[in-house]
Amino acid sequence: MQKLSLLNGLLFTLLLVSGCTSPSGPSLLSPLPASETGIDCANQLSESEELNIITFEYFYNGAGVGAGDLDRDGLPDLCFTSNMGNARLYRNLGSLKFEDITKQSGINTKGRWTTGVALADIKRLIAQAMPFFQQ
């Protein structure tokens, strides 16, 4: 019985280690620099005695990102929130190029703790739902 248990443990360890290999072949995704995309934002956190993982359990839960066609050009624009910084709004110019339109949009979350974002085209949703309700 001990030999079987030892053999199972050895087999499990062998399978675990053999599964820890790097994937071969080219990567499907690669990071693009901010200088190329125009997107330059980060969720930077600064711990203090008053605000940290002990005093606020959601401290490291992260911020949020939303995608939606805000200017109706057919391209998804992006909105990033930052827990301790200002949210950023980026207009999609196509070909993975974006323009920071945060100031023009009037978005200002500085000094507020933001953890998420949701975007919806209310006019389009209502227009699509109206035929259903008129039946």
Side-chain angles (χ1 to χ4, degrees):
M1 188 68 171
Q2 270 187 326
K3 286 184 180 182
L4 186 59
S5 186
L6 180 64
L7 183 61
N8 283 341
L10 186 60
L11 183 60
F12 176 75
T13 304
L14 181 63
L15 287 173
L16 186 66
V17 171
S18 68
C20 297
T21 60
S22 298
S24 59
S27 175
L28 297 177
L29 301 173
S30 60
L32 298 173
S35 60
E36 189 175 321
T37 63
I39 297 175
D40 187 19
C41 60
N43 186 32
Q44 306 233 340
L45 300 174
S46 299
E47 288 188 59
S48 66
E49 281 209 27
E50 296 81 28
L51 191 57
N52 55 58
I53 191 68
I54 303 299
T55 61
F56 183 54
E57 67 181 304
Y58 305 111
F59 191 79
Y60 290 109
N61 277 13
V65 62
D69 186 6
L70 301 176
D71 55 3
R72 294 185 176 230
D73 63 356
L75 300 170
D77 305 306
L78 301 176
C79 181
F80 294 89
T81 61
S82 173
N83 296 135
M84 300 179 101
N86 199 17
R88 312 299 291 163
L89 184 60
Y90 292 94
R91 179 174 179 258
N92 192 335
L93 304 174
S95 301
L96 296 176
K97 308 276 189 241
F98 293 84
E99 172 189 11
D100 187 343
I101 58 169
T102 305
K103 284 186 182 179
Q104 299 96 304
S105 72
I107 292 175
N108 183 5
T109 60
K110 190 83 170 159
R112 297 183 187 138
W113 190 271
T114 55
T115 57
V117 60
L119 299 174
D121 186 345
I122 301 299
K123 285 185 179 180
R124 188 180 304 173
L125 290 173
I126 291 172
Q128 289 173 344
M130 286 310 285
F132 175 76
F133 290 112
Q134 292 173 350
Q135 292 178 357

